[in-house]
Amino acid sequence: MTTTEDKIVQYLNEARAMELALVRTLQAHIAMTPSGGYRRILERHLRETRDHADRVGRRLSDLDAAPTVAGTVYGIGQQLAGQLLALGKAPLDVLRGASAEEKLLKNAKDECATEALEIATYDALEQLALRAGDKPTARLAADHRADEERMLRALRQQLPALTDAVVGAEVDGRPTFDAGRTGAAQTAQRTVRDTERNVSDAVQGTTRAVRRAAADTRRAAAGAVDDAAGAARAAIGSSATSATTEEREEQRQPFARYDELNADRVVGRLDALTPAQLRHVATYERAHKHRRTVLEAAERKRGGTEHGDRAPAGRR
């Protein structure tokens, strides 16, 4: 069954994958954005996003959760998905839109959606961490969410001006800047190359991590089998020893020279015996001499509490 700690690791991996993917997206968006307030916002958030990815990575290291095969594949798969998303979007971010102004507006809307998703992710992570009593993770999630909320507010404040710029460029014929001077195409190409390299490295890392996790799992399973086998052998040995001891006890005479005494003399000594000793007399007598007189007397002395002690036919 999944524990809250497992879910925290899962959510941290998801958050880190989003932050790493956003780094690539922001780099591509900054490249096509002219100097000004909107670009400064993107550059500031790029620094925050890198810091977020680093902090989440450190928190995962602090938790020191031993990765399972499934967990390793899932976490790295999230990063791969983010990298592939950035790889697919980079050229589209450069080419889409009828004007450079339209490209910026579309970028800003995408960024708003991304920030909303990150806010929701950190909301869930904080609540889960609080339920688990993991205060460091809860603080990290709250800090990151505050940064994302500030970024979302800043982006929304830019939307009216960006929309006015689209109208000016496409309706009024008054473009505000030349996209060719921002280095967008060149940066997009670099982003594609970098992302392809990162995806290749991540695939190789996934293979190595899965192999390590599988080996760890096999070693742990072998150790568990050895431990279980050892415990079983010990239990069997203990049981056999106990059984042997009980058998020896049952074969031992109830008191000295018991076998040399006739039935009357044995009965005469029953008054001085404890209930456990009387039970021993009955057991020994059934196994060896089968004397009805002794068995019935022993049963009476024990108060008839053990109804299974019925005397078989035998010698008196």
Side-chain angles (χ1 to χ4, degrees):
M1 181 177 292
T2 301
T3 65
T4 51
E5 289 75 13
D6 294 332
K7 295 302 290 184
I8 287 174
V9 170
Q10 175 191 327
Y11 286 10
L12 283 168
N13 274 313
E14 291 175 1
R16 186 167 185 268
M18 283 194 303
E19 300 288 9
L20 291 173
L22 183 57
V23 165
R24 297 297 175 189
T25 300
L26 288 172
Q27 288 173 329
H29 288 187
I30 289 169
M32 66 181 71
T33 303
S35 299
Y38 177 41
R39 180 167 181 142
R40 286 193 295 273
I41 290 171
L42 296 181
E43 290 172 338
R44 181 198 70 199
H45 196 54
L46 176 59
R47 292 190 296 271
E48 288 178 339
T49 301
R50 285 171 171 155
D51 180 62
H52 289 177
D54 289 343
R55 287 188 66 191
V56 174
R58 289 195 299 271
R59 184 61 193 144
L60 283 166
S61 298
D62 291 342
L63 290 174
D64 194 26
T68 62
V69 175
T72 300
V73 173
Y74 180 84
I76 299 177
Q78 287 288 319
Q79 296 182 35
L80 278 174
Q83 297 289 356
L84 289 170
L85 178 62
L87 175 62
K89 280 174 57 59
L92 295 177
D93 290 337
V94 175
L95 300 176
R96 67 183 182 176
S99 64
E101 289 79 4
E102 180 70 17
K103 294 182 181 70
L104 295 188
L105 179 59
K106 289 182 179 294
N107 287 350
K109 290 191 290 185
D110 281 352
E111 290 151 9
C112 285
T114 300
E115 293 306 311
L117 178 58
E118 288 192 295
I119 290 168
T121 297
Y122 285 121
D123 274 337
L125 176 59
E126 182 185 18
Q127 179 61 26
L128 181 63
L130 289 173
R131 285 284 302 274
D134 184 348
K135 293 181 179 179
T137 298
R139 284 196 300 271
L140 178 146
D143 290 346
H144 288 193
R145 184 186 61 239
D147 290 341
E148 310 302 352
E149 289 172 340
R150 182 174 62 251
M151 179 59 176
L152 180 56
R153 288 194 299 271
L155 286 170
R156 294 188 65 191
Q157 290 170 359
Q158 293 292 319
L159 292 179
L162 292 172
T163 304
D164 289 342
V166 172
V167 174
E170 298 188 14
V171 178
D172 300 336
R174 293 182 289 103
T176 56
F177 73 100
D178 181 1
R181 296 182 180 180
T182 64
Q186 294 88 340
T187 300
Q189 290 173 357
R190 285 197 302 273
T191 300
V192 170
R193 287 195 300 270
D194 291 345
T195 305
E196 287 174 337
R197 185 164 52 251
N198 290 338
V199 169
S200 176
D201 292 345
V203 169
Q204 294 175 10
T206 301
T207 302
R208 290 192 297 269
V210 169
R211 287 174 179 170
R212 286 196 301 271
D216 291 343
T217 301
R218 285 195 298 270
R219 283 194 294 270
V225 170
D226 290 344
D227 291 344
R233 287 193 295 269
I236 292 172
S238 175
S239 176
T241 300
S242 176
T244 301
T245 301
E246 290 177 0
E247 289 172 358
R248 284 200 300 267
E249 182 66 20
E250 288 179 358
Q251 295 300 321
R252 185 175 60 82
Q253 295 184 39
F255 44 80
R257 301 177 61 191
Y258 182 91
D259 289 338
E260 300 176 16
L261 302 177
N262 61 30
D264 291 338
R265 295 187 66 181
V266 170
V267 171
R269 297 185 61 173
L270 295 182
D271 289 338
L273 301 184
T274 66
Q277 291 171 326
L278 289 170
R279 185 164 53 252
H280 188 185
V281 167
T283 301
Y284 185 86
E285 188 67 32
R286 280 196 298 270
H288 295 84
K289 294 181 176 293
H290 306 285
R291 292 176 293 192
R292 180 186 295 275
T293 302
V294 174
L295 289 168
E296 289 179 347
E299 182 176 289
R300 286 196 303 273
K301 297 295 183 183
R302 289 161 58 193
T305 56
E306 297 186 9
H307 301 297
D309 293 342
R310 292 290 182 261
R315 297 185 298 276
R316 296 186 64 83

